[in-house]
Amino acid sequence: MITLENVSKRYETQEALTKVSFTIEKGTMAFVTGPSGAGKTTLFKLLYLAEKPDEGHISIAGFNTATLRESSIPLLRRNIGVVFQDFKLLNNKTVYDNIALTLRIRGIMERETKERVNSVLKMVNLRHKSDSYPLTLSGGEQQRITIARAIVGEPTVMLADEPTGNLDAENEDAIMNIFKRINAKGTTILIATHNKRLYDNTAKKVLYLDCGRLVKEAIR
Amino acid sequence: MFPLRLAIQSILKEFWINLLTVLSIGALLMMLFAVGTIVYNIEIMTRRLPERLSILVFLKDHTPEGDLKVIEARFKSEPLVRSVEFISKDKAMNNLKKTFKEDDFILKGITDNPLSDSFEIRLKGNNLSVNDVKGFIDKIRALKNVDDVEHGGKLLESVYAFKQGLRVLGIFTGVIFATAVIFICYSTVRLLFYRRLDEIEIYRLLGATKAFVRAPFFIEGAVIGFIGGVLGTILLWILNNYLIGRIMVNIPVFSFISVPVGSLYFMPALGFVLGLSGVGFALGRLKY
Ligand SMILES: Nc1ncnc2c1ncn2[C@@H]1O[C@H](COP(=O)(O)OP(=O)(O)OP(=O)(O)O)[C@@H](O)[C@H]1O
Ligand SMILES: [Mg+2]
């Protein structure tokens, strides 16, 4: 479902990723870990085509990113649900509208949108915050909204960048349970995290990044 | 449906910018139509000019009666001639005396009539070209028995040149005003676009197509242009009714002015199109 071959990415001053290769099978829940600055977010940006690799090949959800036409990028992104590390919520729109946006962009009717948005809001336990604005919510609540937005489109691949960074243990478990649920339905999931607790007992595959290099790949 | 809602939200949220844009567009379109009206009116006023001009053909002395008939028939057969009137030298003298009225002592000493027989020719109106008229006059000059021709060709020529210049000037100003409208839309959309850049980036990351991102701007530009056009129409209508209709009617020159009212409804359509083009130029080359 996700394949990287010798992928490198340089920013002006430094190498963020160096010759990274790995494969994540369809339906897997995998983790990327490593110290701050290791290149986890950069890896995600390459996967949802916010950045282009300097070298190497990437394929994700059946798309080869090198040969993908500019006009097909939206199509690729609709197949990928992303939980951004910095949330990327629209602060001038309500929680409901933020999540609904994913579906409205696809031209889905308001009635169906309403049903689906309310259902994911229930999943993250924030049904009552539907009409609030993001900045009036706690960090953990904003994070759960971001997760709800990523899953509402029922993507084939989910990329979650530090999805539990702001959550207490209880909410952390709740979110991991959601991920497990949608993973069980067949969604391939890649989670970037510092948090050992998340992948210690559950993970099938853990990728260890350090200074842009893939230093270890643990498979259970 | 959703892009429409975004456009409406944006129009309301950026109310002051949009209002300013609408006002500028309204004013510009109004001026554009004012220029158009001026050109149109001068066109109308001068259209019947050749009709008013008369050509006086003076005949040589002692032209035989028979030849007069031939010449008259010759004139009447010309397609651009509306009427031909023979003025005998006696009649011309009488006219002269009438003109001088009480001062006819000037003519007292004259016993032998020095005037000549003449024809007064009036031309059909409607867009005779200067060349037609000139050609016709040259033809007359070449006729036997014709002594001299007096005509307003020179005047016609200069009026036509003036009209031509005015038309060019009108088109030139029109193009400038239209460009200004496009430019105003262009810069407003650019401004709004950059204000919303963060938002647009998120839209794109969630899988929005370029068309989806652009649609609200196009709707907004079209609506602003259209409303600007409506405003311009209203302004011009007010100007016509209150200024020209009430006040200037008493000033002779202005009483002729007629506004092509039917074409006023064209203004919102023009605003619509210009607004859309402004958006097109604004977004056309952007990378996002
Ligand atoms: N836009 C950029 N321009 C220049 N350098 C960048 C840019 N984005 C990231 N970097 C650099 O690339 C390296 C990898 O950054 P990245 O954000 O991928 O790390 P990370 O593993 O996600 O870290 P964290 O755990 O703190 O989120 C860092 O050293 C960072 O400074
Ligand atoms: Mg990161």
Side-chain angles (χ1 to χ4, degrees):
Chain A
M1 186 61 31
I2 303 174
T3 307
L4 274 77
E5 278 174 56
N6 286 319
V7 172
S8 298
K9 175 68 190 174
R10 259 180 303 279
Y11 292 113
E12 302 86 52
T13 47
Q14 75 189 93
E15 191 117 324
L17 286 176
T18 314
K19 297 213 174 295
V20 174
S21 304
F22 64 81
T23 299
I24 292 168
E25 307 295 339
K26 189 172 160 60
T28 316
M29 177 139 85
F31 291 81
V32 192
T33 189
S36 184
K40 302 181 294 293
T41 301
T42 304
L43 171 66
F44 279 20
K45 281 183 180 164
L46 294 176
L47 290 176
Y48 60 77
L49 284 177
E51 300 279 0
K52 282 202 152 72
D54 297 310
E55 282 171 44
H57 293 283
I58 302 174
S59 92
I60 179 166
F63 295 89
N64 181 341
T65 61
T67 58
L68 195 68
R69 273 181 306 137
E70 171 98 11
S71 57
S72 301
I73 292 178
L75 205 63
L76 166 71
R77 287 181 176 157
R78 288 175 197 192
N79 277 291
I80 305 176
V82 185
V83 180
F84 301 96
Q85 189 170 15
D86 56 353
F87 307 155
K88 297 201 190 296
L89 293 171
L90 296 168
N91 293 326
N92 57 0
K93 293 215 171 4
T94 63
V95 162
Y96 179 90
D97 283 335
N98 265 284
I99 299 172
L101 187 58
T102 313
L103 302 177
R104 287 171 175 161
I105 279 171
R106 291 158 214 226
I108 289 170
M109 292 314 223
E110 282 303 311
R111 238 173 93 195
E112 188 187 340
T113 298
K114 195 171 173 183
E115 259 169 42
R116 285 170 70 172
V117 172
N118 285 335
S119 131
V120 292
L121 272 173
K122 224 177 275 167
M123 273 166 89
V124 296
N125 247 330
L126 286 173
R127 182 78 175 78
H128 57 291
K129 295 287 188 186
S130 185
D131 295 328
S132 305
Y133 286 86
L135 291 181
T136 67
L137 303 178
S138 76
E141 285 168 337
Q142 289 182 43
Q143 190 149 40
R144 278 142 68 201
I145 299 303
T146 312
I147 291 165
R149 185 181 62 186
I151 61 183
V152 76
E154 295 174 356
T156 50
V157 177
M158 262 206 54
L159 305 174
D161 200 352
E162 289 296 350
T164 60
N166 294 284
L167 302 180
D168 54 49
E170 194 182 328
N171 271 308
E172 199 174 276
D173 289 342
I175 291 303
M176 283 314 290
N177 281 330
I178 292 171
F179 284 159
K180 277 175 198 156
R181 251 167 68 194
I182 60 171
N183 178 235
K185 280 199 227 159
T187 305
T188 309
I189 304 181
L190 183 58
I191 300 170
T193 184
H194 295 286
N195 190 345
K196 264 189 160 43
R197 220 174 75 88
L198 293 191
Y199 55 83
D200 255 0
N201 35 32
T202 49
K204 283 211 185 86
K205 187 168 212 164
V206 185
L207 305 164
Y208 294 85
L209 274 182
D210 195 6
C211 293
R213 289 174 191 277
L214 186 63
V215 291
K216 198 173 118 191
E217 197 174 343
I219 304 164
R220 239 172 265 147
Chain B
M1 227 35 241
F2 186 59
L4 184 68
R5 218 163 76 197
L6 285 180
I8 293 168
Q9 273 170 10
S10 166
I11 289 171
L12 296 178
K13 208 181 95 199
E14 309 283 0
F15 182 77
W16 293 108
I17 293 176
N18 284 312
L19 183 69
L20 202 68
T21 309
V22 165
L23 289 176
S24 324
I25 292 174
L28 279 169
L29 285 178
M30 191 204 75
M31 286 191 270
L32 192 146
F33 269 72
V35 170
T37 305
I38 291 169
V39 172
Y40 170 79
N41 274 282
I42 290 178
E43 196 75 27
I44 287 187
M45 278 189 234
T46 53
R47 186 168 292 161
R48 307 191 77 96
L49 196 63
E51 203 176 287
R52 297 218 181 111
L53 291 178
S54 58
I55 299 175
L56 288 175
V57 182
F58 297 102
L59 301 174
K60 292 194 175 123
D61 279 350
H62 315 300
T63 303
E65 189 99 359
D67 284 5
L68 289 180
K69 289 272 177 285
V70 173
I71 292 174
E72 184 167 2
R74 176 88 177 64
F75 289 155
K76 280 190 169 152
S77 70
E78 285 286 337
L80 41 74
V81 169
R82 187 164 56 112
S83 66
V84 181
E85 191 190 348
F86 178 69
I87 302 166
S88 70
K89 57 197 229 175
D90 297 335
K91 195 174 171 200
M93 192 49 145
N94 279 335
N95 284 347
L96 203 60
K97 280 182 178 157
K98 258 185 236 156
T99 319
F100 283 118
K101 283 182 190 154
E102 270 104 72
D103 302 325
D104 63 356
F105 60 85
I106 295 171
L107 303 168
K108 281 260 164 68
I110 302 166
T111 47
D112 195 17
N113 186 346
L115 302 174
S116 33
D117 291 336
S118 64
F119 281 107
E120 185 178 2
I121 302 172
R122 284 178 184 277
L123 299 178
K124 285 180 183 147
N126 291 346
N127 296 321
L128 280 179
S129 81
V130 179
N131 282 340
D132 288 347
V133 177
K134 266 190 187 161
F136 178 55
I137 286 165
D138 287 344
K139 243 193 259 174
I140 301 173
R141 265 190 224 286
L143 287 177
K144 209 178 92 186
N145 291 320
V146 168
D147 186 27
D148 195 11
V149 182
E150 221 174 67
H151 63 95
K154 273 273 173 312
L155 175 69
L156 197 64
E157 204 166 334
S158 47
V159 167
Y160 276 19
F162 169 70
K163 254 166 76 167
Q164 196 55 38
L166 197 80
R167 255 181 233 157
V168 171
L169 195 73
I171 290 170
F172 188 68
T173 355
V175 168
I176 286 183
F177 282 138
T179 311
V181 171
I182 291 178
F183 181 75
I184 287 173
C185 275
Y186 168 91
S187 43
T188 302
V189 166
R190 272 276 162 128
L191 182 77
L192 294 180
F193 184 88
Y194 283 116
R195 275 201 183 192
R196 272 187 247 157
L197 198 56
D198 292 344
E199 197 175 328
I200 287 166
E201 197 196 13
I202 292 175
Y203 277 52
R204 293 286 280 159
L205 287 177
L206 294 179
T209 58
K210 273 193 180 180
F212 183 90
V213 170
R214 286 172 186 213
F217 290 102
F218 275 105
I219 296 172
E220 196 166 343
V223 168
I224 287 175
F226 181 81
I227 297 176
V230 171
L231 187 77
T233 308
I234 293 171
L235 285 178
L236 203 62
W237 186 80
I238 292 173
L239 197 74
N240 180 40
N241 276 291
Y242 291 87
L243 216 63
I244 297 172
R246 298 262 163 91
I247 302 164
M248 291 192 173
V249 152
N250 300 319
I251 309 169
V253 179
F254 291 107
S255 62
F256 289 115
I257 287 185
S258 68
V259 176
V261 179
S263 67
L264 281 185
Y265 304 108
F266 177 64
M267 226 197 285
L270 186 66
F272 182 88
V273 171
L274 295 179
L276 278 183
S277 354
V279 181
F281 284 119
L283 299 185
R285 314 180 72 191
L286 281 180
K287 275 264 169 208
Y288 49 89

